[in-house]
Amino acid sequence: MAPRRTPLYDAHVRHGGKLVEFAGWELPVQYKGVIDEHRAVREAAGLFDVSHMGEVFFEGEGALEACNELVTNDLRSIGDGQALYAGLLNERGGFVDDVICYRFSPTKILVCTNASNAEKDFEWMKSHAKAGPVVRDAGADFAQLALQGPKAIGILQKLTSADLQAIAFFRFAEIEVDGKPVIAARTGYTGEDGFEIFCRPGDATDLWEAILAAGKDEGLMPAGLGARDSLRTESKLALYGNDIDDEHTPLEASLGWIVKLDKPGFIGKEALVRQKADGVKRKLIGFELTERGIPRHGYPILSNGQPVGVVTSGTMSPTLQKPIGIGYVPPELASEGSTFEVEIRGKPVAARVVKTPFYKRPA
Amino acid sequence: MSDLTFPADLRYTQDHEWARKDGNAVVVGITAFAQSQLGDVVYVELPEPGKTVTAGESFGVVESTKAVSELIAPVTGTVVERNDPLVDSPEKVNDDPYDAGWMIKVEPADPSAFDKLMDAAAYGEFVAKQG
């Protein structure tokens, strides 16, 4: 099957994007270069096309309750206009996906899902949601742009009369940008301040060009999947399919903070309660190599020469200039300072568990 | 691809390595096309002097932000020198693939092996076909 194209496909070609297939979509892996784009996001701003992400609406009486029974976090703990990161779990407590829920009102919740899981998630939510509210696949209703970086807010402010500073972190508002109606959410997956902008597919190209023009003199660059991956790795943000999947639970993935065991039941809760009582057998940690090499997804983690875990993500950190990685290890190797080896092309390379996120933006 | 250069004094392989004659030895690196395909190079692993390399077989590794690629020797011979500064500045492979980005110098077992490699025109055609 030919990969799908986002409404911004022509814009990517025009801006020199190097297109690759990702999660069934044809998307730019880079424009000018991964490291330049990564630095632009850390120091100024970067603009990403994230239109491949999935969107599902819960609408009608009981929408909040229905959605809340499917996710680990508690939608009752936030107000309208707020977003919440959560796990969508199977009965074993494994991830169906990790999602962001946007609460418009108790009768309207938008769930943003990963592209690779969009269809699976929609089917899962539709078949497992209790009767009442409508569960609707809204993927075709939206294109999505992510403007990320310390200068993101200033750049976007040039295009709107709405007061963007009034939209706090993990809050969102329905506003106009460049004269087009959008949902502007102060969320993102790079570890930087910024906005995710849900817009009509037909408005995506104009918005893309308007934002790039507004940020031209401030160092804004279009950024691709390559930079997105190194940015989220530095911030130790989990990637579905790499760091988390249906075999791993939030407690193993060090995402206990998105699990609210004291809320009314949700799918996977019993499994997590048991796992919490028994203790986890593996834990997702961040490490750096103390010898030369680059850790990558799938490389074995060794202790005393024996395989004990696996690398789930890794890169040469453009910000820290060090090889960093994320991986599962037994709990006894999970504390900061613990050492082990990563097997790189048959050779053990020394590694040490470090505090994460590897990179944290200045307060 | 019009901005990619293939100097006329070099010879090339289908694995996108280049070879330059230097007295009796052959200097080896990867081509401008190879580095452009890889993207930002962040790591190189090269053999120590004294090691033997075999034409068509891996002699090291180059890693970009996203991919791991084997380096394939253009000729069989013994490594007589290695570009050590490249280990700390792998980005030179992108910036200057034919000079500062050189990788190893090999004393070939058969000096005529160099002449059997593709010349710049043939390699240019080969790359054009790769699209």
Side-chain angles (χ1 to χ4, degrees):
Chain A
M1 203 170 67
R4 297 166 73 183
R5 291 176 173 178
T6 75
L8 289 163
Y9 176 84
D10 291 339
H12 298 320
V13 172
R14 208 164 47 241
H15 287 277
K18 199 170 187 176
L19 295 154
V20 298
E21 190 176 340
F22 175 79
W25 293 79
E26 205 170 355
L27 287 163
V29 63
Q30 64 169 64
Y31 300 84
K32 200 170 160 215
V34 173
I35 293 175
D36 282 349
E37 291 160 28
H38 182 110
R39 292 205 173 120
V41 174
R42 289 276 181 254
E43 290 158 18
L47 184 62
F48 301 84
D49 175 11
V50 287
S51 302
H52 56 299
M53 306 290 280
E55 290 91 3
V56 175
F57 267 117
F58 284 68
E59 287 164 317
E61 206 56 47
L64 187 143
E65 291 75 14
C67 188
N68 216 24
E69 286 181 0
L70 302 180
V71 298
T72 57
N73 217 328
D74 194 348
L75 284 165
R76 300 172 313 169
S77 69
I78 58 168
D80 297 345
Q82 279 183 266
L84 193 66
Y85 180 59
L88 180 70
L89 305 186
N90 58 35
E91 286 83 357
R92 301 189 311 278
F95 279 96
V96 174
D97 203 1
D98 62 328
V99 298
I100 295 182
C101 303
Y102 297 88
R103 175 174 158 162
F104 289 75
S105 74
T107 57
K108 187 179 177 187
I109 310 285
L110 173 64
V111 181
C112 184
T113 70
N114 282 298
S116 52
N117 294 334
E119 272 177 43
K120 176 188 79 171
D121 288 3
F122 171 65
E123 293 303 330
W124 178 270
M125 289 189 272
K126 196 169 168 60
S127 61
H128 288 81
K130 71 172 173 195
V134 173
V135 181
R136 180 169 65 84
D137 182 355
D141 296 358
F142 294 111
Q144 206 188 130
L145 277 53
L147 177 61
Q148 299 276 296
K151 294 189 175 170
I153 191 162
I155 292 166
L156 198 62
Q157 192 63 71
K158 294 180 188 175
L159 298 170
T160 180
S161 58
D163 177 10
L164 295 178
Q165 288 292 5
I167 307 171
F169 186 58
F170 262 71
R171 286 177 188 267
F172 65 96
E174 293 176 271
I175 62 171
E176 278 196 358
V177 172
D178 194 38
K180 292 153 190 87
V182 305
I183 303 163
R186 199 142 178 191
T187 53
Y189 223 61
T190 61
E192 292 299 329
D193 189 12
F195 280 88
E196 290 180 301
I197 303 157
F198 298 77
C199 66
R200 295 185 298 215
D203 291 337
T205 301
D206 285 349
L207 273 171
W208 177 266
E209 299 298 348
I211 293 170
L212 283 180
K216 190 168 171 274
D217 297 332
E218 307 201 38
L220 171 64
M221 290 175 77
L225 295 168
R228 194 169 166 81
D229 193 50
S230 52
L231 288 158
R232 69 95 201 159
T233 301
E234 281 185 349
S235 303
K236 199 177 174 255
L237 295 164
L239 175 65
Y240 193 91
N242 273 44
D243 310 301
I244 53 175
D245 56 35
D246 55 5
E247 298 299 324
H248 292 88
T249 73
L251 301 180
E252 293 170 328
S254 305
L255 289 169
W257 65 274
I258 65 167
V259 176
K260 301 287 147 65
L261 291 177
D262 54 352
K263 78 174 210 185
F266 60 87
I267 297 178
K269 181 177 171 180
E270 288 73 23
L272 295 185
V273 168
R274 272 198 307 278
Q275 191 175 50
K276 195 166 186 186
D278 297 347
V280 294
K281 304 267 188 296
R282 54 192 175 185
K283 216 165 162 19
L284 193 68
I285 51 89
F287 64 87
E288 61 185 35
L289 295 187
T290 50
E291 295 179 296
R292 290 189 68 244
I294 298 181
R296 296 196 184 256
H297 177 73
Y299 286 2
I301 288 176
L302 313 175
S303 182
N304 300 317
Q306 295 303 308
V308 294
V310 66
V311 176
T312 55
S313 290
T315 190
M316 177 64 83
S317 161
T319 308
L320 308 171
Q321 289 287 306
K322 276 183 205 170
I324 58 168
I326 300 171
Y328 282 99
V329 296
E332 59 271 23
L333 288 177
S335 51
E336 199 182 325
S338 295
T339 57
F340 51 76
E341 295 85 44
V342 175
E343 189 184 319
I344 302 180
R345 291 182 286 278
K347 212 176 78 187
V349 176
R352 175 178 59 212
V353 177
V354 296
K355 205 171 154 192
T356 54
F358 302 98
Y359 163 85
K360 200 164 185 208
R361 73 172 182 256
Chain B
M1 232 170 287
S2 53
D3 56 337
L4 299 179
T5 55
F6 307 124
D9 59 326
L10 307 187
R11 294 296 170 102
Y12 301 87
T13 72
Q14 294 198 350
D15 303 303
H16 307 288
E17 273 78 22
W18 56 259
R20 174 187 287 127
K21 234 182 183 151
D22 181 12
N24 293 330
V26 170
V27 183
V28 178
I30 67 168
T31 69
F33 174 75
Q35 67 79 23
S36 77
Q37 294 295 104
L38 280 168
D40 295 323
V41 171
V42 291
Y43 181 79
V44 290
E45 201 172 277
L46 302 172
E48 285 178 35
K51 290 251 184 186
T52 336
V53 298
T54 307
E57 290 183 14
S58 169
F59 71 84
V61 168
V62 58
E63 298 197 34
S64 68
T65 43
K66 288 304 286 177
V68 182
S69 304
E70 301 275 352
L71 295 163
I72 306 296
V75 294
T76 298
T78 307
V79 178
V80 291
E81 207 180 326
R82 175 172 76 170
N83 186 2
D84 283 325
L86 200 60
V87 168
D88 293 322
S89 309
E91 69 280 0
K92 284 183 181 155
V93 175
N94 296 115
D95 299 341
D96 195 6
Y98 298 117
D99 287 303
W102 72 276
M103 292 178 174
I104 53 170
K105 195 188 276 189
V106 179
E107 193 122 294
D110 168 12
S112 73
F114 176 84
D115 302 312
K116 292 174 189 150
L117 299 170
M118 276 188 277
D119 63 15
Y123 179 66
E125 267 176 50
F126 176 74
V127 167
K129 276 187 208 141
Q130 306 256 307

